């Protein structure tokens, strides 16, 4: 399929689906493996229901009903999540399990500062948007400002924009050669990306509310927020541009998907699909970017990252997003950004030591000897899982802690067939990472992290999303799906071809130490409907029809070590019939692999967040792009959403208002912990 085919395909209903289709062309060159290699690998030990899965390796690899652990063979295990499970469905509203409240806290366009204008959706401006809550809320973090934790700073990423439901009369612009995108609309899009920091308070009624007068409230955007660069790529010749000849500062951050909070209370924003914002005026006959004027090495580098993606036409109006004008600008995105929410004057920092790729998230923990450890997935079909371990240890001093993010070792994961994992260091001068292979220094290694990881023989995964450490040496890796994996591209850690529903891998670092360079892994669940043999799903048989899910995306661990999973099925939700939602998934004992549905999104929305406050009494979740994904599959609607005609007008249900992405606060009726 060419880019032109994709844009003209009537079955691709919105921008997010088109993005995925573009990415169907995998960029990883290291894919071919023989079936023999796979079968020769050890499989059964990695399966969770020990003794219950007496299947041949071949069966396990290709999926039959034998892959579903038989009900009678498993000891009965009761989930430790004692809420009454929600029923699965898909409709225009959000729903939470009985006995809980789910209230809207912040919506796209809500004024966040005292001087912000009220939201006027028919007359939006970039100046207004810079003082209002951004679009497509994704990661949510919280850091308390008082001991009781009843006042604190909410940190929210705004990943991308959907112009067809944001702006009246516009429709999909990527399919219309961006003909309707004026410079003003582009600047609104830019102002709606990035992040938000706001102070919120818990009232005596138990409800949370925004404090609009707080001095901490601010937006971080790709339009106007200056950031500094730290680490091996700061000042590198490949980071220099005409606006920044030193290569040490960047305006803004792009496509901030998931993230993390550091142990010292700063907010990490992951830059994910940054390639989609870069543009070229030079196209080939298929309408694809033609980079042939560039040096061969640079073509290879940009190709491996999908640059320029041309999902947005910002490069038409802002020269820095045009590759023809600023060939180094893409090198300045794809990093982890650290924001100090307690210091509104502090400039965010892009920490290049953590590598450049499509960072889904960046969750932190500490090693046994107190060093900072960060896990991060590269969300692309056939890309890798990474971790970073600092040289020094986490202490009391905030500046010293921040410096840990520029002095450490970045590793990429190799999931071996024998159930072990090896963390391979990405260090210039070691192994193949030499000038001979295009790596002149550590700056080159981090700028071209993917190419370096290719040479080290990392394992190509089924789209690594959130990687959630538990602090006990366990890590839960969400592999959301990979419909393009072919039978000759299987490996033990990615055992299903055409993996439509994804799976979750549990890693146990050696000696329970997140700083270890080796460990073991197993598959916790293979997602999808366990009643359909061809799906090859694997759940604890206690999982009900409501409880199984597809496309795990983000995760949180509660104070009792329990796992919570949010899903993003994109336009494929019709394959399960279920809306995206939040599920409670057991990892321990006889109940291991049991999942229960806790919250579900309105149609077309993706479930983001989740984040628990320290007292476990509040759970923040985010509903991203309500009303957009796969609405052709919603019975009775069966068409793509537009501003004028959306599948839902969640959360306002005001005929004059389109659907609005929003952060939702979940509390237990009568108070207390969400899960006991
Ligand atoms: Fe922004 Fe990987 O989802
Ligand atoms: Ca995501
Ligand atoms: Ca997470």
């Amino acid at each position: 399929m060419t880019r032109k085919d994709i844009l003209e395909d009537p079955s691709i209903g919105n921008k997010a689906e088109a993005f995925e289709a573009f990415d169907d062309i995998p960029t990883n060159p290291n894919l071919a493996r023989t079936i023999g290699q796979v079968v020769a690998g050890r499989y059964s030990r990695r399966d969770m229901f020990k003794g219950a899965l007496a299947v041949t390796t071949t069966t396990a690899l290709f999926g039959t009903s034998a892959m579903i652990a038989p009900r009678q063979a498993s000891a009965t295990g009761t989930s430790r999540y004692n809420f009454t499970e929600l029923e699965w469905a898909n409709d225009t509203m959000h729903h939470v399990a009985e006995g809980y409240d789910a209230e809207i806290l912040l919506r796209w366009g809500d004024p966040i500062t005292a001087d912000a204008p009220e939201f006027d959706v028919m007359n939006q401006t970039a100046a207004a948007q810079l003082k209002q809550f951004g679009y497509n809320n994704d990661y949510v973090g919280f850091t308390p400002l008082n001991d009781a934790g009843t006042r604190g700073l909410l940190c929210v990423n705004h990943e991308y924009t959907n112009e067809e439901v944001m702006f009246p009369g516009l429709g999909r612009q990527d399919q219309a050669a961006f003909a309707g995108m004026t410079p003003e609309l582009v600047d609104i899009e830019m102002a709606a990306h990035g992040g938000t920091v706001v102070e919120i308070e818990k009232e005596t009624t138990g409800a949370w509310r925004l404090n609009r007068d707080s001095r901490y409230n601010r937006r971080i955007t790709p339009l106007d927020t200056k950031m500094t660069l730290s680490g091996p790529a700061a000042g590198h010749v490949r980071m220099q541009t005409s606006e920044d000849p030193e290569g040490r500062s960047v305006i803004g951050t792009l496509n901030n998907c998931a993230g993390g909070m550091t142990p010292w209370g700063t907010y990490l924003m992951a830059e994910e699909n940054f390639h989609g914002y870069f543009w070229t005026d030079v196209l080939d006959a298929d309408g694809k970017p033609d980079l042939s004027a560039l040096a061969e090495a640079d073509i290879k580098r940009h190709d491996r990252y999908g640059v320029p993606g041309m999902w947005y036409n910002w490069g038409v109006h802002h020269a820095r997003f045009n590759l023809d004008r600023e060939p180094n600008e893409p090198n300045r995105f794809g990093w982890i950004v650290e924001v100090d929410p307690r210091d509104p004057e502090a400039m965010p920092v892009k920490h290049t030591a953590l590598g450049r790729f499509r960072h889904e998230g960046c969750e932190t923990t500490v090693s046994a000897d107190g060093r900072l450890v960060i896990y991060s997935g590269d969300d692309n079909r056939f890309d890798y899982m990474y971790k970073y371990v600092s040289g020094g240890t986490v202490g009391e001093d905030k500046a010293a802690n921040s410096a840990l993010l520029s002095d450490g070792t970045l590793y990429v994961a190799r999931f071996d067939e024998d159930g072990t994992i090896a963390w391979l260091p990405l260090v210039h001068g070691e192994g193949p990472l030499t000038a001979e292979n295009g790596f002149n220094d550590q700056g080159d290694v981090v700028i071209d992290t993917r190419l370096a990881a290719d040479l080290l023989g990392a394992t190509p995964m089924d789209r690594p999303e959130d990687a959630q450490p538990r602090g006990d040496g366990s890590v839960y890796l969400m592999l959301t799906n990979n419909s393009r994996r072919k039978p000759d591209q299987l490996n033990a850690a990615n055992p299903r071809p055409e993996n439509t529903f994804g799976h979750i891998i549990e890693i146990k670092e050696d000696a329970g130490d997140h700083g270890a360079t080796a460990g073991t892994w197993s598959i916790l669940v293979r997602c999808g409907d366990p009643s359909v043999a061809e799906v090859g799903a694997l759940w604890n048989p206690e999982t009900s029809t409501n409880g199984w899910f597809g496309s795990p995306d983000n995760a949180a661990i509660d104070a009792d070590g329990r796992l919570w999973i949010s899903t993003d099925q994109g336009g494929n939700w019709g394959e399960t019939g279920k809306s995206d939602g939040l599920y409670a998934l057991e990892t321990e004992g006889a109940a291991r692999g049991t999942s229960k549905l806790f919250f579900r999104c309105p149609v077309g929305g993706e479930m983001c967040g989740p984040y628990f406050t320290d007292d476990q009494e509040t759970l923040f979740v985010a509903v991203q792009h309500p009303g957009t994904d796969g609405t052709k599959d919603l019975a009775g609607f069966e068409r793509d959403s537009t501003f004028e005609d959306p599948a839902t007008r969640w959360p306002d249900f005001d005929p004059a208002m389109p659907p609005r992405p929003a952060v939702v606060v979940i509390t237990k009726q009568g108070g207390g912990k969400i899960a006991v």
Side-chain angles (χ1 to χ4, degrees):
M1 251 193 179
T2 69
R3 178 186 182 83
K4 199 158 161 281
D5 294 333
I6 290 165
L7 289 176
E8 289 172 358
D9 183 346
S11 74
I12 293 176
N14 65 47
K15 199 162 197 147
E17 290 170 38
F19 296 173
E20 287 226 349
F22 289 148
D23 283 345
D24 276 352
I25 303 116
T27 57
N28 187 327
N30 293 349
L31 294 181
R33 300 177 81 251
T34 65
I35 295 282
Q37 281 176 299
V38 176
V39 172
R42 178 177 143 291
Y43 188 82
S44 58
R45 201 182 77 124
R46 282 174 299 279
D47 269 301
M48 46 181 282
F49 304 114
K50 293 186 179 73
L53 197 71
V55 294
T56 66
T57 306
T58 308
T59 306
L61 290 169
F62 299 106
T64 75
S65 57
M67 295 174 75
I68 304 159
R71 195 169 276 271
Q72 64 277 14
S74 175
T76 302
T78 308
S79 166
R80 292 177 300 155
Y81 307 81
N82 65 346
F83 59 86
T84 305
E85 186 173 46
L86 193 60
E87 283 191 17
W88 72 274
N90 197 350
D91 59 40
T92 59
M93 246 325 257
H94 70 276
H95 300 269
V96 69
E98 193 186 325
Y100 295 85
D101 290 318
E103 303 296 332
I104 308 301
L105 178 64
L106 280 164
R107 303 159 298 183
W108 168 50
D110 282 346
I112 63 153
T113 58
D115 64 345
E118 291 303 313
F119 186 46
D120 179 354
V121 72
M122 299 304 287
N123 298 286
Q124 181 64 320
T125 66
Q129 181 66 76
L130 287 172
K131 295 177 176 179
Q132 297 167 341
F133 196 60
Y135 205 78
N136 273 349
N137 34 219
D138 196 309
Y139 178 77
V140 182
F142 178 80
T143 179
L145 288 172
N146 63 0
D147 289 342
T150 53
R151 201 165 70 78
L153 300 175
L154 196 73
C155 305
V156 184
N157 282 354
H158 302 292
E159 186 180 11
Y160 71 104
T161 49
N162 295 79
E163 70 278 358
E164 75 277 17
V165 285
M166 287 175 74
F167 303 121
L170 202 66
R172 278 272 305 281
Q173 286 297 298
D174 53 335
Q175 286 181 327
F178 301 98
M181 290 308 298
T182 62
E184 290 75 21
L185 291 181
V186 165
D187 284 2
I188 295 169
E189 285 188 325
M190 293 175 76
H193 277 68
T196 292
V197 176
V198 281
E199 183 179 334
I200 58 171
E201 282 177 64
K202 193 177 189 179
E203 297 176 322
T204 49
T205 60
W208 288 86
R209 71 163 194 92
L210 167 71
N211 175 4
R212 251 177 90 169
D213 297 321
S214 172
R215 71 182 187 91
Y216 298 108
N217 297 357
R218 64 166 157 157
R219 289 293 321 287
I220 293 148
T221 78
L223 185 64
D224 70 344
T225 307
K226 191 170 180 181
M227 317 197 158
T228 56
L229 289 157
S230 87
H236 196 277
V237 65
R238 293 175 58 202
M239 300 293 272
Q240 296 167 358
T241 65
S242 55
E243 280 179 20
D244 173 32
E246 298 287 311
R248 295 190 178 274
S249 65
V250 185
I251 305 296
T253 178
L254 289 173
N255 206 267
N256 305 94
C257 193
M261 300 299 290
T262 64
W264 57 96
T266 57
Y267 157 39
L268 301 178
M269 307 169 74
E271 297 190 320
E272 196 191 22
N273 293 305
F274 66 95
H275 63 297
Y277 300 82
F278 289 92
W279 186 265
T280 176
D281 294 316
V282 188
L283 302 177
D284 67 16
D286 287 333
K288 281 175 65 178
D290 180 353
L291 303 183
S292 55
L294 298 178
E296 201 174 317
D298 287 327
I299 296 173
K300 183 179 159 196
R301 288 161 167 161
H302 286 318
D303 276 353
R304 185 66 180 86
Y305 282 88
V307 169
M310 301 177 73
W311 297 354
Y312 293 86
N313 76 331
W314 299 1
V316 172
H317 302 288
H318 294 268
R320 67 194 179 99
F321 294 110
N322 187 328
L323 198 61
D324 314 331
R325 310 272 288 275
E326 289 290 352
N328 282 343
E329 189 73 11
N331 296 339
R332 293 143 61 85
F333 294 87
W335 305 105
I336 296 294
V337 181
E338 185 188 20
V339 174
D340 184 355
R342 285 182 175 73
D343 183 357
E345 307 304 321
M347 210 180 274
V349 183
K350 291 198 182 190
H351 290 290
T352 67
L354 279 62
R356 174 173 170 266
F357 48 93
R358 295 186 201 165
H359 287 275
E360 166 71 23
C362 42
E363 293 284 6
T364 65
T365 186
V366 288
S367 67
D369 60 1
R371 288 173 294 153
L372 181 71
V373 180
I374 298 184
Y375 292 91
S376 192
D378 184 352
D379 182 7
N380 204 56
R381 291 180 178 94
F382 305 106
D383 258 293
Y384 308 131
M385 181 195 188
Y386 296 84
K387 88 167 168 183
Y388 173 85
V389 183
S390 66
T393 57
V394 178
E396 295 296 316
D397 183 77
K398 199 159 70 173
N401 286 336
S402 183
L404 297 175
L405 293 162
S406 43
D407 179 20
T409 305
L410 181 66
Y411 299 88
V412 66
R414 194 187 66 217
F415 292 83
D416 287 328
E417 307 283 320
D418 66 354
T420 58
I421 182 171
W423 291 105
L424 313 170
L426 293 148
V427 177
H428 178 254
E430 288 188 13
L433 305 183
T434 58
E436 200 172 45
N437 290 317
F439 300 97
N440 291 311
D441 47 37
Q442 187 64 16
D444 281 334
V445 171
V446 292
I447 293 169
D448 296 324
T449 302
R450 282 182 167 185
L451 291 159
D454 292 343
L455 290 181
L456 294 184
T459 304
M461 309 297 286
D462 287 346
R463 290 187 57 197
E465 301 258 15
D466 208 355
Q468 189 71 40
R470 188 161 59 189
D472 63 349
S474 307
V475 190
Y476 295 90
L477 173 64
M478 309 300 118
L479 293 156
T480 196
N481 55 58
N482 182 354
S483 55
R484 293 293 176 265
R485 190 177 288 276
K486 299 189 179 76
D488 66 349
Q489 295 169 335
L490 298 177
N491 55 57
N494 300 274
R496 282 190 290 184
E498 293 177 37
N499 182 8
T500 307
F501 303 104
H503 56 290
I504 298 175
I505 286 181
E506 178 184 69
I507 295 166
K508 298 278 186 186
E509 301 279 31
D510 278 355
D513 180 3
H514 287 286
T517 53
T520 58
W521 63 270
S522 60
I523 292 181
L524 174 61
V525 289
R526 290 193 297 268
C527 303
D529 186 346
S531 71
V532 179
E534 297 71 36
V535 167
L538 179 68
W539 299 96
N540 189 301
E542 293 299 312
T543 302
S544 78
T545 309
N546 301 312
W548 64 263
F549 56 81
S551 300
D553 188 353
N554 294 122
I557 303 270
D558 69 23
D560 295 307
R562 291 169 297 204
L563 186 59
W564 299 73
I565 307 289
S566 67
T567 66
D568 172 19
Q569 302 164 101
N572 285 335
W573 71 261
E575 303 222 17
T576 63
K578 299 178 166 188
S579 61
D580 280 323
L582 184 68
Y583 295 81
L585 178 59
E586 266 294 354
T587 58
E588 303 304 308
R592 178 176 164 90
T594 307
S595 172
K596 289 173 73 175
L597 175 57
F598 182 70
F599 178 94
R600 60 182 165 88
C601 288
V603 63
E606 164 184 348
M607 184 86 282
C608 300
Y611 196 92
F612 287 92
T613 53
D614 289 343
D615 64 8
Q616 307 293 299
E617 294 190 6
T618 301
L619 169 60
F620 297 105
V621 293
V623 174
Q624 195 184 69
H625 56 72
T628 70
D629 276 5
T631 56
K632 282 179 173 164
D633 290 327
L634 181 66
F637 188 74
E638 291 149 20
R639 55 193 182 274
D640 294 325
S641 283
T642 60
F643 181 94
E644 289 75 16
D645 177 31
T648 180
R649 293 187 184 274
W650 188 91
D652 305 289
F653 296 98
D654 173 348
M657 188 65 82
R660 291 204 272 176
V663 172
V664 178
V665 183
I666 299 174
T667 52
K668 198 169 191 176
Q669 288 166 0
K673 288 184 178 184
I674 300 287
V676 287

